Amino acid sequence: MTESQSFPDVVELNVGGRHFTTSLLTLTKCKDTMLGAMFSGKYQAIKDQDGRYFIDADGDNFVYVLNYLRYGELPPPNLVTTIYREAVYFGLHGMVEQLELSPSLLAQIHRDSYRAQFTGYHKIINAILDRIKECSTKNTETTTSLLVVLFAREKKKKLPNFDKNHTCFSKSKNRPKRMSDVTFGPWRNKSTTEKDVMNCVVFDLQEKGFIITQEATGQCGFKCESPPENTEDSIVENCTHLCYTLTFHWWKM
C-alpha cells in the first residue's frame, strides 16, 4: 500500500519547465480530474530537484487550465483547439463540454463525423501524400499533378467480360492518356457525390498547408465491348468512375 501524501495549502508547480504558484483548493476544485487525483493524497506526486511538483504538460497552455479552475475562464477563440486538447488530457469535463460549443470545435466535430462515412478516408489522404512524395523527387516542374478517381457506388456490370480490376484512366482530345494515381470508393452515404468527397480531400490537404487546385476531367476512359459472337446486339459498356486532376503548386505561398 502506498502511504497517503499531504500537500501544503500553497503549491509550487513545475509544468513542462514553467513554474506556477497556486492553491491546493484550486488544484482539487474538480475532484474527478487528473489534477484532482494527483493532489488528493492518494498517489505519490513527483517533485523536481527544487521540490516543485512536476506535471508533464505544456506550461504555456497550462495557464488556461489554471485560469479555468480559478475563474471558470475559457481561452480566446484562436486557442480553443489547442486548449481543448489540454482540457481532455487533464480530464476537465466541464471545460471540454464548454469548448465543444465553440464554432471552431463544432466545425471540427462535424467534419470528423462527415469523414466517418467514408471507410478508409484517411488512407486516401496518405496515399496522395505518398504519391506526391514519390513524384516530387523526380519533378522538374513548378507543379505536380495526380489523377484521383472516385466512385460513390459500384454499378452492376451488364457485360460478363467487363474487367472490374482495370486501372482507370483519363483521356481527352487535347491531353495524353493519364492513368489513375489514387482510386477511392465506394462509400456508405450514396447521396454524397464524388465532387463532395473531392472537395473534402482538397480542404484537408489545404489545412495541412498545401496550395492545391482541382479539375474534373470527366469519366474514366475504359470501355468494354460485347464478345464478337454478339455482333447483332453489340454493346459497349463504359466505366462510370469519375476522374479529377489534383495539382500541387510548389511556388505559390
Side-chain angles (χ1 to χ4, degrees):
M1 292 284 293
T2 302
E3 293 183 5
S4 62
Q5 185 176 15
S6 60
F7 300 94
D9 293 336
V10 177
V11 181
E12 298 288 335
L13 300 175
N14 175 351
V15 184
R18 185 168 174 177
H19 301 159
F20 295 88
T21 301
T22 188
S23 71
L24 182 62
L25 284 175
T26 295
L27 294 172
T28 57
K29 186 175 183 179
C30 300
K31 304 297 182 183
D32 59 340
T33 65
M34 177 195 289
L35 294 171
M38 180 177 177
F39 292 96
S40 66
K42 297 177 182 179
Y43 307 96
Q44 288 296 315
I46 302 172
K47 290 184 179 182
D48 67 9
Q49 60 185 6
D50 297 316
R52 297 183 182 91
Y53 293 100
F54 179 74
I55 298 174
D56 188 14
D58 188 305
D60 293 336
N61 293 339
F62 189 74
V63 171
Y64 300 99
V65 171
L66 208 51
N67 283 344
Y68 176 78
L69 291 172
R70 285 169 173 161
Y71 319 116
E73 181 180 293
L74 295 177
N78 63 310
L79 291 177
V80 163
T81 302
T82 300
I83 305 308
Y84 175 78
R85 179 188 62 195
E86 302 295 332
V88 171
Y89 176 74
F90 283 103
L92 293 166
H93 308 298
M95 190 180 192
V96 167
E97 291 176 359
Q98 290 183 63
L99 291 177
E100 285 179 346
L101 297 177
S102 65
S104 58
L105 274 180
L106 280 174
Q108 181 177 313
I109 292 168
H110 176 82
R111 288 194 294 266
D112 289 343
S113 177
Y114 183 81
R115 295 185 193 100
Q117 67 182 301
F118 313 124
T119 303
Y121 174 80
H122 291 289
K123 290 182 180 179
I124 184 179
I125 298 294
N126 291 334
I128 289 171
L129 294 176
D130 288 343
R131 184 69 178 129
I132 277 294
K133 182 179 179 181
E134 181 184 342
C135 293
S136 294
T137 57
K138 308 170 186 176
N139 193 35
T140 57
E141 306 294 333
T142 60
T143 62
T144 304
S145 294
L146 299 182
L147 186 69
V148 178
V149 176
L150 302 173
F151 57 102
R153 61 186 60 82
E154 192 68 272
K155 295 181 179 179
K156 185 177 181 180
K157 307 306 179 186
K158 298 177 182 178
L159 296 176
N161 60 323
F162 190 97
D163 182 7
K164 296 180 181 179
N165 298 317
H166 71 274
T167 300
C168 290
F169 63 88
S170 176
K171 186 177 182 182
S172 59
K173 293 181 180 179
N174 301 321
R175 296 181 181 180
K177 181 178 178 180
R178 176 70 186 267
M179 305 304 293
S180 168
D181 291 290
V182 178
T183 301
F184 181 65
W187 43 84
R188 295 196 305 268
N189 187 354
K190 305 307 179 186
S191 64
T192 303
T193 67
E194 290 84 356
K195 179 66 174 175
D196 294 332
V197 175
M198 194 69 242
N199 288 339
C200 187
V201 168
V202 170
F203 176 88
D204 286 340
L205 291 172
Q206 288 174 337
E207 282 285 286
K208 292 179 180 292
F210 294 102
I211 308 299
I212 299 172
T213 54
Q214 62 159 301
E215 180 187 2
T217 53
Q219 200 167 290
C220 169
F222 180 82
K223 61 182 179 180
C224 177
E225 296 184 5
S226 56
E229 58 268 22
N230 297 339
T231 53
E232 293 183 2
D233 300 311
S234 180
I235 298 175
V236 176
E237 188 170 10
N238 298 304
C239 175
T240 57
H241 298 176
L242 298 182
C243 302
Y244 294 85
T245 299
L246 200 59
T247 303
F248 289 72
H249 300 267
W250 303 118
W251 294 87
K252 290 182 181 180
M253 302 300 290

